[in-house]
Amino acid sequence: MRGIKIIFWVFWRVWFYVLMAIPILIMFPFLVLSILTESGYPYFFKMARIWARVILFGMGFYYKVEREQEFDDKQSYMLIANHTSMTDIMLMLATVRKPFVFVGKKELVKIPLFGFFYKRTCILVDRSNSKSKHGVFERAQKRINQGLSICIFPEGGVTDDKNVILDPFKDGAFRLAIDHQLPIVPMTFGDNKERFSFNFFSGSPGLMRVKIHSFIETEGKTMNDKNDLKEQSWQIIHKQLLDFQKEKQ
C-alpha cells in the first residue's frame, strides 16, 4: 500500500509542475504584453487568477471561503496569511479578486517560467541584505500609489517542526502597513499543509478552507503600535487554525 502511495505522490507532484507550466505557455504572449508597462498589471493579475484556479482544480483541490468583511475597491490593503504550502500563492490569488502584489523571497525566481514572471511582477526581498529590505518599502509605495494592495506571508518561511501550528510573525508586513496606513487583512488557510505540504511524499486532493477575518485598522498608528498589531494578527490566525483543527475532529 505504501508503494502505491509513493507512486501516486511522485506522479501527482510532477503533475503540479506541469499544471504550473501549461496556462503560462498558453497565455504567454498576453502575459508578456501585460508586464511591459506597470499600467498593464491589472490584466496580468486577472490571468494570474486563471492560472491559480487551473492549478487548484487540476490538482483536485476545491476551496470554501468565509468572509467577515468585504473589500473596498478604492482602498489598498496589507494581506497576510499563514504559510505552509506552495499552494498558498494560488489560493491567495483565487480567493482575493482585488489586485495585489506579493512581497516574496527572491529564491522563487529560479523556478522555470514561473520565475520569469515572478521576478517582473512581485516585490522581491533578500532577507540577508539590509538594502534589499529597505528597497521593499519604496517599491511597495509605488504599487500602493497605483491602487494595488500588498500581500506578505509574515512567518517569513515554513517551519520544519510539525508541532508548530504558526511561527512567530516578522516585522515587515506590519511596518509597511503602518508606514502606508494600510488596513491589515488577516487570512487563515486551514488545510494547505495537509493538502500539499513541502514534504514531497504527502498530500491529497480535497477541501481548502479559507477565513478572511475582519480588517485591522492602522490609521493613526505609529511604530510604537507595531508589536501590538503583530500580536493581534498572530492571535487571530492562530485561534482560527485551532478552530479548523477542531472542526476536523
Side-chain angles (χ1 to χ4, degrees):
M1 188 65 180
R2 176 68 179 176
I4 294 175
K5 284 186 176 180
I6 289 175
I7 292 171
F8 166 77
W9 283 323
V10 169
F11 279 98
W12 198 51
R13 293 277 171 162
V14 171
W15 176 236
F16 175 77
Y17 289 102
V18 171
L19 281 173
M20 285 184 68
I22 290 174
I24 294 177
L25 291 172
I26 293 173
M27 298 187 292
F28 191 83
F30 305 102
L31 289 167
V32 171
L33 287 172
S34 69
I35 64 173
L36 291 178
T37 62
E38 292 182 348
S39 61
Y41 184 82
Y43 301 101
F44 173 86
F45 183 80
K46 290 180 180 179
M47 288 183 279
R49 296 192 73 227
I50 295 172
W51 169 82
R53 289 172 178 173
V54 168
I55 294 169
L56 292 176
F57 293 127
M59 292 295 289
F61 302 136
Y62 60 98
Y63 51 88
K64 178 182 178 182
V65 185
E66 180 183 350
R67 306 174 190 271
E68 291 186 342
Q69 190 170 344
E70 296 293 336
F71 292 103
D72 181 348
D73 290 340
K74 297 180 181 179
Q75 172 71 56
S76 295
Y77 298 92
M78 172 59 66
L79 308 171
I80 64 171
N82 54 308
H83 190 29
T84 56
S85 169
M86 283 187 67
T87 58
D88 296 340
I89 293 173
M90 295 80 182
L91 194 58
M92 183 69 75
L93 285 166
T95 55
V96 178
R97 294 181 179 179
K98 183 173 174 59
F100 63 85
V101 176
F102 284 106
V103 174
K105 53 188 178 182
K106 68 174 186 177
E107 289 80 3
L108 294 181
V109 170
K110 298 176 183 178
I111 300 176
L113 279 179
F114 171 82
F116 174 83
F117 292 101
Y118 179 82
K119 180 179 181 179
R120 288 159 178 79
T121 57
C122 298
I123 300 173
L124 305 185
V125 58
D126 180 356
R127 296 190 182 96
S128 63
N129 187 325
S130 58
K131 290 184 179 179
S132 173
K133 291 180 180 180
H134 179 72
V136 167
F137 288 84
E138 296 179 356
R139 293 192 293 276
Q141 180 65 72
K142 190 174 183 181
R143 290 301 200 176
I144 292 164
N145 290 342
Q146 295 167 353
L148 302 175
S149 295
I150 306 295
C151 176
I152 297 179
F153 297 111
E155 290 172 275
V158 179
T159 180
D160 294 327
D161 189 343
K162 295 180 180 179
N163 296 318
V164 175
I165 297 175
L166 185 66
D167 267 337
F169 287 170
K170 299 185 182 300
D171 290 346
F174 307 96
R175 287 183 177 276
L176 278 172
I178 292 170
D179 268 0
H180 305 300
Q181 298 288 280
L182 300 178
I184 299 168
V185 183
M187 299 175 61
T188 307
F189 296 158
D191 306 285
N192 293 17
K193 189 172 186 177
E194 179 182 349
R195 297 276 79 86
F196 199 83
S197 75
F198 283 91
N199 178 4
F200 190 88
F201 297 109
S202 66
S204 64
L207 174 65
M208 290 177 161
R209 291 167 295 175
V210 182
K211 178 74 173 284
I212 301 178
H213 302 276
S214 297
F215 309 157
I216 302 172
E217 294 298 331
T218 60
E219 187 175 352
K221 301 290 186 181
T222 69
M223 285 303 163
N224 292 329
D225 302 300
K226 172 178 61 67
N227 289 336
D228 289 340
L229 290 170
K230 182 169 64 173
E231 177 64 17
Q232 182 182 357
S233 300
W234 189 92
Q235 290 291 348
I236 289 170
I237 294 176
H238 184 260
K239 180 181 181 301
Q240 186 60 50
L241 286 170
L242 294 176
D243 289 345
F244 277 147
Q245 285 186 350
K246 291 177 183 177
E247 289 177 11
K248 288 191 291 187
Q249 293 175 356

Coordinates of all heavy atoms in Angstrom, one line a residue, residues 64-122:
K64 N -13.3 26.7 0.0 CA -14.5 27.3 0.7 C -14.1 28.5 1.4 O -13.2 28.4 2.3 CB -15.2 26.3 1.6 CG -16.4 26.8 2.3 CD -17.0 25.8 3.3 CE -18.2 26.3 4.0 NZ -18.7 25.3 5.0
V65 N -14.7 29.7 1.1 CA -14.2 30.9 1.7 C -15.3 31.5 2.6 O -16.5 31.6 2.2 CB -13.9 32.0 0.6 CG1 -13.3 33.2 1.2 CG2 -12.9 31.4 -0.4
E66 N -14.9 31.9 3.8 CA -15.8 32.6 4.8 C -15.2 34.0 4.9 O -14.0 34.2 5.3 CB -15.8 31.9 6.1 CG -16.7 32.6 7.1 CD -16.8 31.9 8.5 OE1 -16.2 30.8 8.6 OE2 -17.3 32.5 9.4
R67 N -16.1 35.0 4.7 CA -15.6 36.4 4.8 C -16.3 37.1 5.9 O -17.6 37.1 6.0 CB -15.9 37.1 3.5 CG -15.3 36.4 2.3 CD -15.8 37.1 1.0 NE -15.4 36.3 -0.2 CZ -14.2 36.5 -0.9 NH1 -13.3 37.3 -0.4 NH2 -14.0 35.7 -1.9
E68 N -15.6 37.8 6.8 CA -16.1 38.6 7.8 C -16.3 40.0 7.4 O -17.1 40.8 8.0 CB -15.3 38.5 9.1 CG -15.3 37.2 9.8 CD -14.5 37.2 11.1 OE1 -13.7 38.1 11.3 OE2 -14.7 36.3 11.9
Q69 N -15.6 40.4 6.3 CA -15.7 41.8 5.8 C -15.3 41.8 4.4 O -14.5 41.0 3.9 CB -14.7 42.7 6.6 CG -14.8 44.2 6.4 CD -14.0 45.0 7.4 OE1 -13.6 44.5 8.4 NE2 -13.8 46.3 7.1
E70 N -16.0 42.7 3.6 CA -15.7 42.8 2.2 C -14.7 43.9 1.9 O -14.6 44.9 2.6 CB -17.0 43.1 1.4 CG -18.1 42.0 1.6 CD -17.7 40.8 0.8 OE1 -16.8 40.8 -0.1 OE2 -18.2 39.7 1.2
F71 N -14.0 43.8 0.8 CA -13.0 44.8 0.4 C -13.7 46.0 -0.3 O -14.7 45.9 -0.9 CB -12.0 44.2 -0.7 CG -11.1 43.1 -0.1 CD1 -11.4 41.7 -0.3 CD2 -10.1 43.4 0.7 CE1 -10.6 40.8 0.2 CE2 -9.2 42.4 1.2 CZ -9.5 41.1 0.9
D72 N -13.0 47.1 -0.1 CA -13.4 48.4 -0.7 C -12.6 48.5 -2.0 O -11.3 48.5 -1.9 CB -13.3 49.5 0.2 CG -13.7 50.9 -0.4 OD1 -13.9 51.0 -1.6 OD2 -13.8 51.9 0.4
D73 N -13.2 48.7 -3.1 CA -12.4 48.8 -4.4 C -11.4 50.0 -4.4 O -10.4 50.0 -5.1 CB -13.3 48.9 -5.6 CG -14.1 47.6 -5.8 OD1 -13.6 46.5 -5.4 OD2 -15.2 47.6 -6.5
K74 N -11.7 51.0 -3.6 CA -10.9 52.2 -3.6 C -9.8 52.2 -2.6 O -9.0 53.1 -2.5 CB -11.8 53.4 -3.4 CG -12.8 53.6 -4.5 CD -13.7 54.9 -4.2 CE -14.8 55.0 -5.3 NZ -15.6 56.2 -5.0
Q75 N -9.7 51.1 -1.8 CA -8.8 51.1 -0.7 C -7.7 50.0 -1.0 O -8.0 49.0 -1.5 CB -9.5 50.7 0.6 CG -8.6 50.4 1.8 CD -8.0 51.6 2.4 OE1 -8.7 52.6 2.7 NE2 -6.7 51.6 2.4
S76 N -6.5 50.3 -0.6 CA -5.4 49.3 -0.7 C -5.3 48.7 0.7 O -5.6 49.3 1.7 CB -4.1 50.0 -1.1 OG -4.1 50.5 -2.4
Y77 N -4.8 47.4 0.7 CA -4.7 46.6 1.9 C -3.4 45.9 2.1 O -2.6 45.8 1.1 CB -5.8 45.6 2.0 CG -7.2 46.1 1.9 CD1 -7.9 46.3 0.7 CD2 -7.9 46.4 3.1 CE1 -9.2 46.8 0.7 CE2 -9.2 47.0 3.1 CZ -9.8 47.1 1.8 OH -11.1 47.6 1.8
M78 N -3.1 45.5 3.3 CA -2.0 44.6 3.6 C -2.6 43.2 3.9 O -3.2 43.0 4.9 CB -1.2 45.1 4.8 CG -0.1 44.1 5.3 SD 1.1 43.7 4.0 CE 1.9 45.3 3.8
L79 N -2.4 42.3 2.9 CA -2.9 40.9 3.1 C -1.9 40.1 3.8 O -0.7 40.0 3.3 CB -3.3 40.4 1.7 CG -4.2 41.2 0.8 CD1 -4.3 40.6 -0.6 CD2 -5.6 41.3 1.4
I80 N -2.3 39.3 4.8 CA -1.4 38.4 5.4 C -2.1 37.1 5.7 O -3.3 37.0 5.8 CB -0.8 39.0 6.8 CG1 -2.0 39.1 7.8 CG2 -0.1 40.3 6.6 CD1 -1.5 39.4 9.2
A81 N -1.3 36.0 5.7 CA -1.8 34.7 5.9 C -0.7 33.7 6.4 O 0.5 34.0 6.2 CB -2.4 34.1 4.6
N82 N -1.2 32.6 7.0 CA -0.2 31.6 7.4 C 0.4 30.9 6.2 O -0.3 30.9 5.1 CB -0.9 30.6 8.3 CG -2.1 30.0 7.7 OD1 -3.0 30.7 7.3 ND2 -2.2 28.6 7.7
H83 N 1.6 30.4 6.3 CA 2.3 29.9 5.1 C 2.8 28.5 5.4 O 3.7 28.3 6.2 CB 3.5 30.8 4.8 CG 4.1 30.6 3.5 ND1 3.5 30.0 2.4 CD2 5.4 30.8 3.1 CE1 4.3 29.9 1.4 NE2 5.5 30.3 1.8
T84 N 2.2 27.5 4.7 CA 2.6 26.1 4.9 C 2.8 25.3 3.6 O 3.1 24.2 3.6 CB 1.5 25.4 5.7 OG1 0.3 25.5 5.1 CG2 1.4 25.9 7.1
S85 N 2.5 26.0 2.5 CA 2.5 25.2 1.2 C 2.7 26.2 0.0 O 2.4 27.4 0.1 CB 1.1 24.6 1.1 OG 0.9 24.1 -0.2
M86 N 3.2 25.6 -1.1 CA 3.3 26.3 -2.3 C 2.0 26.8 -2.8 O 1.8 27.8 -3.6 CB 4.0 25.5 -3.4 CG 5.5 25.4 -3.2 SD 6.3 24.6 -4.6 CE 6.1 25.8 -5.9
T87 N 0.9 26.0 -2.5 CA -0.4 26.4 -2.9 C -1.0 27.6 -2.2 O -2.0 28.1 -2.6 CB -1.4 25.2 -2.7 OG1 -1.4 24.8 -1.3 CG2 -1.0 24.0 -3.6
D88 N -0.3 28.1 -1.2 CA -0.7 29.3 -0.6 C -0.8 30.5 -1.6 O -1.7 31.3 -1.5 CB 0.2 29.7 0.6 CG 0.2 28.7 1.7 OD1 -0.7 27.9 1.8 OD2 1.2 28.7 2.4
I89 N 0.1 30.5 -2.5 CA 0.2 31.6 -3.5 C -1.1 31.5 -4.4 O -1.8 32.4 -4.7 CB 1.5 31.4 -4.4 CG1 2.7 31.7 -3.6 CG2 1.4 32.4 -5.6 CD1 4.0 31.5 -4.3
M90 N -1.4 30.2 -4.9 CA -2.5 30.0 -5.7 C -3.8 30.3 -5.0 O -4.7 30.9 -5.6 CB -2.5 28.6 -6.3 CG -1.4 28.2 -7.2 SD 0.1 27.8 -6.2 CE 1.3 27.5 -7.5
L91 N -3.9 29.9 -3.8 CA -5.2 30.1 -3.0 C -5.4 31.6 -2.7 O -6.5 32.0 -2.8 CB -5.1 29.3 -1.7 CG -6.5 29.2 -1.0 CD1 -7.5 28.5 -1.9 CD2 -6.3 28.4 0.3
M92 N -4.3 32.3 -2.5 CA -4.5 33.7 -2.3 C -5.0 34.4 -3.5 O -5.9 35.2 -3.5 CB -3.1 34.3 -1.9 CG -3.1 35.8 -1.5 SD -4.1 36.2 0.0 CE -2.9 35.7 1.2
L93 N -4.4 34.1 -4.7 CA -4.9 34.6 -5.9 C -6.3 34.3 -6.3 O -7.1 35.1 -6.8 CB -3.9 34.1 -7.1 CG -2.6 34.8 -7.2 CD1 -1.7 34.0 -8.1 CD2 -2.6 36.2 -7.6
A94 N -6.7 33.0 -6.0 CA -8.0 32.5 -6.3 C -9.1 33.2 -5.5 O -10.2 33.4 -5.9 CB -8.1 31.0 -6.2
T95 N -8.8 33.5 -4.2 CA -9.8 34.0 -3.3 C -9.9 35.5 -3.1 O -10.8 36.0 -2.6 CB -9.6 33.4 -1.9 OG1 -8.3 33.6 -1.4 CG2 -9.8 31.8 -2.0
V96 N -8.9 36.2 -3.6 CA -8.9 37.7 -3.5 C -8.9 38.3 -4.9 O -8.0 38.2 -5.7 CB -7.6 38.2 -2.7 CG1 -7.7 39.8 -2.7 CG2 -7.6 37.6 -1.3
R97 N -10.1 38.9 -5.2 CA -10.2 39.5 -6.5 C -9.5 40.8 -6.7 O -9.2 41.2 -7.8 CB -11.7 39.7 -6.8 CG -12.5 38.4 -6.9 CD -14.0 38.6 -7.2 NE -14.7 37.4 -7.3 CZ -16.0 37.3 -7.6 NH1 -16.7 38.5 -7.7 NH2 -16.7 36.2 -7.6
K98 N -9.4 41.6 -5.6 CA -8.8 42.9 -5.7 C -7.3 42.7 -6.0 O -6.6 42.0 -5.3 CB -9.0 43.6 -4.4 CG -8.4 45.1 -4.4 CD -8.8 45.8 -3.2 CE -8.1 47.2 -3.1 NZ -8.5 48.0 -4.3
P99 N -6.8 43.4 -7.1 CA -5.4 43.2 -7.5 C -4.4 43.6 -6.3 O -4.5 44.6 -5.7 CB -5.2 44.2 -8.6 CG -6.6 44.3 -9.2 CD -7.5 44.3 -8.0
F100 N -3.4 42.7 -6.2 CA -2.4 42.9 -5.2 C -1.1 42.4 -5.7 O -1.0 41.7 -6.7 CB -2.8 42.1 -3.9 CG -2.8 40.6 -4.0 CD1 -1.7 39.8 -3.9 CD2 -4.1 40.0 -4.2 CE1 -1.8 38.5 -4.1 CE2 -4.2 38.6 -4.4 CZ -3.0 37.9 -4.3
V101 N 0.0 42.7 -5.0 CA 1.3 42.3 -5.4 C 2.0 41.6 -4.2 O 1.9 42.0 -3.1 CB 2.2 43.6 -5.7 CG1 3.7 43.2 -6.0 CG2 1.6 44.3 -6.9
F102 N 2.6 40.4 -4.5 CA 3.3 39.7 -3.5 C 4.6 40.3 -3.1 O 5.3 40.8 -4.0 CB 3.6 38.2 -4.0 CG 2.4 37.3 -4.0 CD1 1.8 37.0 -5.2 CD2 1.9 36.8 -2.8 CE1 0.7 36.1 -5.2 CE2 0.8 36.0 -2.8 CZ 0.2 35.6 -4.0
V103 N 5.0 40.3 -1.9 CA 6.3 40.5 -1.4 C 6.9 39.1 -1.1 O 6.3 38.5 -0.2 CB 6.4 41.5 -0.2 CG1 7.8 41.5 0.3 CG2 5.9 42.8 -0.6
G104 N 7.9 38.7 -1.8 CA 8.4 37.3 -1.6 C 9.9 37.2 -1.7 O 10.6 38.1 -2.2
K105 N 10.3 36.0 -1.3 CA 11.8 35.7 -1.3 C 12.2 35.6 -2.8 O 11.6 35.0 -3.6 CB 12.1 34.5 -0.5 CG 11.3 33.3 -0.8 CD 11.6 32.2 0.2 CE 10.7 30.9 -0.1 NZ 10.9 29.9 0.9
K106 N 13.5 36.0 -3.0 CA 14.0 36.0 -4.4 C 14.3 34.6 -4.9 O 14.4 34.4 -6.1 CB 15.2 36.9 -4.4 CG 16.4 36.3 -3.7 CD 17.7 37.1 -3.9 CE 18.9 36.5 -3.3 NZ 20.1 37.2 -3.6
E107 N 14.4 33.6 -4.0 CA 14.7 32.3 -4.4 C 13.7 31.7 -5.4 O 14.1 30.8 -6.2 CB 14.9 31.3 -3.2 CG 16.1 31.6 -2.3 CD 15.9 32.8 -1.4 OE1 14.8 33.4 -1.4 OE2 16.8 33.1 -0.6
L108 N 12.5 32.1 -5.4 CA 11.5 31.6 -6.2 C 11.7 31.9 -7.7 O 11.1 31.4 -8.6 CB 10.1 32.0 -5.8 CG 9.6 31.5 -4.5 CD1 8.2 32.0 -4.2 CD2 9.6 30.0 -4.4
V109 N 12.6 32.9 -7.9 CA 12.9 33.3 -9.3 C 13.5 32.1 -10.1 O 13.4 32.1 -11.3 CB 13.9 34.5 -9.3 CG1 14.5 34.8 -10.6 CG2 13.2 35.7 -8.7
K110 N 14.1 31.2 -9.4 CA 14.7 30.0 -10.0 C 13.8 29.0 -10.7 O 14.2 28.2 -11.5 CB 15.6 29.3 -9.0 CG 16.7 30.2 -8.4 CD 17.5 29.4 -7.3 CE 18.5 30.3 -6.7 NZ 19.2 29.6 -5.6
I111 N 12.5 29.1 -10.3 CA 11.5 28.2 -10.9 C 11.3 28.5 -12.4 O 10.9 29.7 -12.7 CB 10.2 28.2 -10.1 CG1 10.4 27.8 -8.7 CG2 9.2 27.3 -10.8 CD1 9.1 27.9 -7.8
P112 N 11.5 27.6 -13.3 CA 11.3 27.9 -14.7 C 9.9 28.4 -15.0 O 8.9 28.0 -14.4 CB 11.5 26.5 -15.4 CG 12.4 25.7 -14.4 CD 11.9 26.2 -13.0
L113 N 9.9 29.4 -16.0 CA 8.7 30.0 -16.4 C 8.0 30.9 -15.3 O 7.9 32.1 -15.5 CB 7.6 29.0 -17.0 CG 7.8 28.5 -18.4 CD1 6.8 27.5 -18.8 CD2 7.8 29.7 -19.4
F114 N 7.6 30.2 -14.3 CA 7.0 31.0 -13.1 C 8.0 32.1 -12.7 O 7.6 33.2 -12.4 CB 6.7 30.0 -12.0 CG 6.3 30.7 -10.7 CD1 5.0 31.1 -10.5 CD2 7.2 30.9 -9.7 CE1 4.6 31.7 -9.3 CE2 6.9 31.5 -8.5 CZ 5.6 31.9 -8.3
G115 N 9.3 31.7 -12.5 CA 10.2 32.7 -12.0 C 10.4 33.9 -12.9 O 10.7 35.0 -12.4
F116 N 10.2 33.7 -14.2 CA 10.3 34.8 -15.2 C 9.3 35.9 -14.8 O 9.7 37.1 -14.8 CB 10.1 34.3 -16.6 CG 10.1 35.4 -17.7 CD1 11.3 35.9 -18.2 CD2 8.9 35.9 -18.1 CE1 11.2 36.9 -19.2 CE2 8.9 36.9 -19.1 CZ 10.0 37.4 -19.6
F117 N 8.1 35.5 -14.6 CA 7.0 36.5 -14.3 C 7.1 36.9 -12.9 O 6.7 38.1 -12.6 CB 5.7 35.9 -14.7 CG 5.5 35.7 -16.2 CD1 5.6 34.4 -16.7 CD2 5.2 36.8 -17.0 CE1 5.5 34.2 -18.1 CE2 5.1 36.6 -18.4 CZ 5.2 35.3 -18.9
Y118 N 7.4 36.0 -12.0 CA 7.5 36.3 -10.6 C 8.5 37.5 -10.4 O 8.2 38.4 -9.6 CB 8.0 35.1 -9.8 CG 8.2 35.3 -8.3 CD1 7.1 35.2 -7.5 CD2 9.5 35.4 -7.8 CE1 7.3 35.3 -6.1 CE2 9.6 35.6 -6.4 CZ 8.5 35.5 -5.6 OH 8.7 35.6 -4.2
K119 N 9.6 37.4 -11.0 CA 10.7 38.5 -10.9 C 10.2 39.8 -11.4 O 10.6 40.9 -10.8 CB 11.9 38.0 -11.7 CG 13.1 39.0 -11.6 CD 14.3 38.5 -12.4 CE 15.5 39.4 -12.3 NZ 16.6 38.9 -13.1
R120 N 9.3 39.8 -12.4 CA 8.9 41.1 -13.0 C 7.6 41.7 -12.4 O 7.3 42.8 -12.8 CB 8.8 40.8 -14.5 CG 10.2 40.7 -15.2 CD 10.1 40.0 -16.5 NE 11.4 39.9 -17.1 CZ 12.3 39.0 -16.8 NH1 12.0 38.1 -15.8 NH2 13.5 38.9 -17.4
T121 N 7.0 40.9 -11.6 CA 5.7 41.4 -11.1 C 5.6 41.5 -9.6 O 4.7 42.2 -9.0 CB 4.5 40.5 -11.6 OG1 4.8 39.2 -11.2 CG2 4.4 40.6 -13.1
C122 N 6.5 40.8 -8.9 CA 6.5 40.8 -7.4 C 7.6 41.7 -6.9 O 8.5 42.1 -7.6 CB 6.7 39.4 -6.9 SG 5.4 38.2 -7.4

